[in-house]
Amino acid sequence: MSECVGEQKISDPTQLEVYKMAHELTILIYKLTANFPKEELFGLSSQMKRAASSICANLMEGSYRNNTKEFRQFCGIARGSAGELKYFLILSSDLGYLDKNIAMGLITKTDTISKMIYGLIKSLERKI
């Protein structure tokens, strides 16, 4: 499916800057959570990986849907996953699993991704 965002056609969501940034964040989350305590393997670590990967997964799935309205809906879900990840980063820092400075950098990156998704949503709404 080919969606328009502004003047840009979206035939491959992996080329969107927001997708690239979210994918990099997901890889960082996977690497960082590998150092979490073993008792968090199926808890916080798993939830963080799921929330992070859900951002790109929903952008991808939405772009493969039938119309702009469905794509917009999946962008909203992706943004919700970014919010969920932000909380898990705060929690990980407060529990001492992540260095505060590293957590703040990741939170800033997550906020940027969320704002970018919001911009994408607004662009798609103009097309509905």
Side-chain angles (χ1 to χ4, degrees), residues 12-26:
D12 182 5
T14 64
Q15 297 307 305
L16 292 173
E17 209 49 49
V18 67
Y19 179 95
K20 292 174 186 176
M21 198 173 197
H23 182 66
E24 288 173 8
L25 178 61
T26 301

Side-chain angles (χ1 to χ4, degrees), residues 12-60:
D12 182 5
T14 64
Q15 297 307 305
L16 292 173
E17 209 49 49
V18 67
Y19 179 95
K20 292 174 186 176
M21 198 173 197
H23 182 66
E24 288 173 8
L25 178 61
T26 301
I27 291 168
L28 281 171
I29 294 299
Y30 268 77
K31 289 178 179 178
L32 288 170
T33 57
N35 298 319
F36 279 21
K38 295 298 176 214
E39 64 267 15
E40 289 295 350
L41 182 61
F42 299 108
L44 186 55
S45 173
S46 176
Q47 289 177 299
M48 288 178 73
K49 290 186 279 191
R50 185 202 46 77
S53 63
S54 180
I55 299 168
C56 285
N58 278 291
L59 291 173
M60 183 69 79

Side-chain angles (χ1 to χ4, degrees), residues 111-125:
D111 284 341
T112 299
I113 290 166
S114 179
K115 289 174 187 171
M116 291 171 79
I117 295 171
Y118 183 75
L120 178 57
I121 289 168
K122 288 299 172 194
S123 176
L124 292 169
E125 284 175 351

Side-chain angles (χ1 to χ4, degrees), residues 84-100:
E84 189 177 7
L85 178 59
K86 180 177 179 175
Y87 170 69
F88 293 143
L89 289 165
I90 292 167
L91 180 60
S92 296
S93 176
D94 289 347
L95 290 171
Y97 300 160
L98 278 180
D99 174 86
K100 295 245 183 241

